[in-house]
Amino acid sequence: MQIVDHRLKPGWYKPSPNVGGALNRPTLLVMHFTAGGGSGPKGVADYFLRPEAKASAHVVVGRDGGVLQVVPFNVKAWHAGRSVWRGQSNCNDFSIGIEIDNWGRLTRTADGLVRSWTNAVVDPGKAAELTHKNETSRSLWETYNETQLQAVVQVTRAILAAYPSITEIVGHDDIAPGRKTDPGPAFPMGRFVALVEGRGDRAPITRRVTASRLNARGGAGLDFEVLGVFTQGTQVEVIYDSPGPWAQVKGRLSDGAEVTAWVADQYLA
Ligand SMILES: [Zn+2]
């Protein structure tokens, strides 16, 4: 993937009417989640093409890893809103914005299901209980899948190569704290930056189960169903070690089934 004439090539492109003037010498890259459940051209990218949306970003990355561009990189997109970074306000004037399809905060409703802010039912295996850096208590958040993360990495590499004036990558929640929570605690910012810089392509991290029987759960929290147990000494591959007490791992259960599940990370060595 590369950028030619301020457009991703190869790539899907439709121009959004929700744009400002010329974007010269961007210095910041801002990461967002869409807070939407759709994906692809019928999702948020389509929304950004409508004038009444009064919003846009340069690109949208779907849950399937699809990359849709709706604003050329030399034009200001309307993604940051009221915002400040390092004393400079109106971040749209000096930043490129990437939207990632993700619900953001989820809630467990009285019926035991995990739901989005629109009340859509979400697979509990895609939820993690985490504390946002600008908050003090835990919430459920949709996780970002690996295909999607790798697509964001490829787009970001292309942007940084084409616009060496960009010196920082931040979240919308860094430039509009209190008002915005995206991309949120489920976005692995540290690992993402390492992958972008080519430092993250390491061998998978494996850890050993130290508890005699460790519950493998469908989500990050005691409320999630137990899918089975990992017995002591089992080697599991760590997919995502969250900032909280839960880690997403892949491994073989006592019954022989290979699963991706969440475990309490204090029982991994
Ligand atoms: Zn945002």
Side-chain angles (χ1 to χ4, degrees):
M1 193 181 285
Q2 57 173 329
I3 294 170
V4 180
D5 274 342
H6 309 288
R7 300 246 305 269
L8 286 162
K9 299 281 165 71
W12 183 102
Y13 173 75
K14 276 190 185 173
S16 167
N18 308 321
V19 296
L23 175 62
N24 297 312
R25 228 184 147 270
T27 55
L28 194 65
L29 184 64
V30 183
M31 312 306 294
H32 302 261
F33 60 54
T34 58
S39 214
K42 298 230 175 293
V44 169
D46 180 56
Y47 173 73
F48 286 156
L49 301 182
R50 294 188 230 144
E52 65 271 22
K54 293 188 166 58
S56 64
H58 291 91
V59 292
V60 183
V61 180
R63 288 178 175 80
D64 59 359
V67 177
L68 308 173
Q69 184 169 9
V70 292
V71 178
F73 296 116
N74 62 338
V75 172
K76 291 173 188 172
W78 294 349
H79 59 99
R82 192 155 37 81
S83 52
V84 183
W85 186 243
R86 297 198 188 279
Q88 254 187 302
S89 55
N90 296 320
C91 297
N92 287 340
D93 292 345
F94 54 93
S95 68
I96 287 176
I98 298 181
E99 288 274 359
I100 312 170
D101 273 325
N102 181 285
W103 279 119
R105 197 191 308 270
L106 304 169
T107 48
R108 185 180 286 280
T109 44
D111 54 12
L113 297 173
V114 173
R115 293 176 188 268
S116 72
W117 65 276
T118 62
N119 234 16
V121 175
V122 177
D123 174 359
K126 294 182 177 144
E129 199 177 301
L130 304 165
T131 304
H132 192 285
K133 63 185 174 186
N134 299 339
E135 300 175 0
T136 52
S137 56
R138 280 191 229 154
S139 296
L140 288 173
W141 299 84
E142 184 184 351
T143 54
Y144 294 82
N145 75 62
E146 198 61 23
T147 303
Q148 187 179 36
L149 185 66
Q150 292 297 341
V152 180
V153 167
Q154 296 310 318
V155 175
T156 302
R157 280 185 178 164
I159 292 171
L160 295 184
Y163 304 97
S165 53
I166 295 176
T167 53
E168 284 183 287
I169 301 175
V170 295
H172 202 182
D173 47 11
D174 293 312
I175 62 172
R179 191 173 72 82
K180 291 289 174 181
T181 58
D182 57 319
F187 186 71
M189 187 62 96
R191 181 165 167 250
F192 165 67
V193 172
L195 286 167
V196 167
E197 293 175 346
R199 291 185 284 115
D201 300 322
R202 302 184 184 123
I205 300 162
T206 58
R207 292 172 80 183
R208 184 173 46 82
V209 173
T210 58
S212 57
R213 292 169 64 80
L214 178 59
N215 284 333
R217 294 182 181 273
L222 291 173
D223 297 341
F224 292 98
E225 67 168 318
V226 176
L227 307 173
V229 293
F230 292 119
T231 49
Q232 196 165 32
T234 302
Q235 295 285 338
V236 293
E237 184 184 326
V238 178
I239 294 170
Y240 179 48
D241 198 356
S242 78
W246 295 89
Q248 190 181 29
V249 300
K250 196 159 93 179
R252 201 167 289 283
L253 296 173
S254 59
D255 65 4
E258 172 102 1
V259 294
T260 296
W262 292 83
V263 297
D265 64 6
Q266 62 175 306
Y267 302 113
L268 299 175

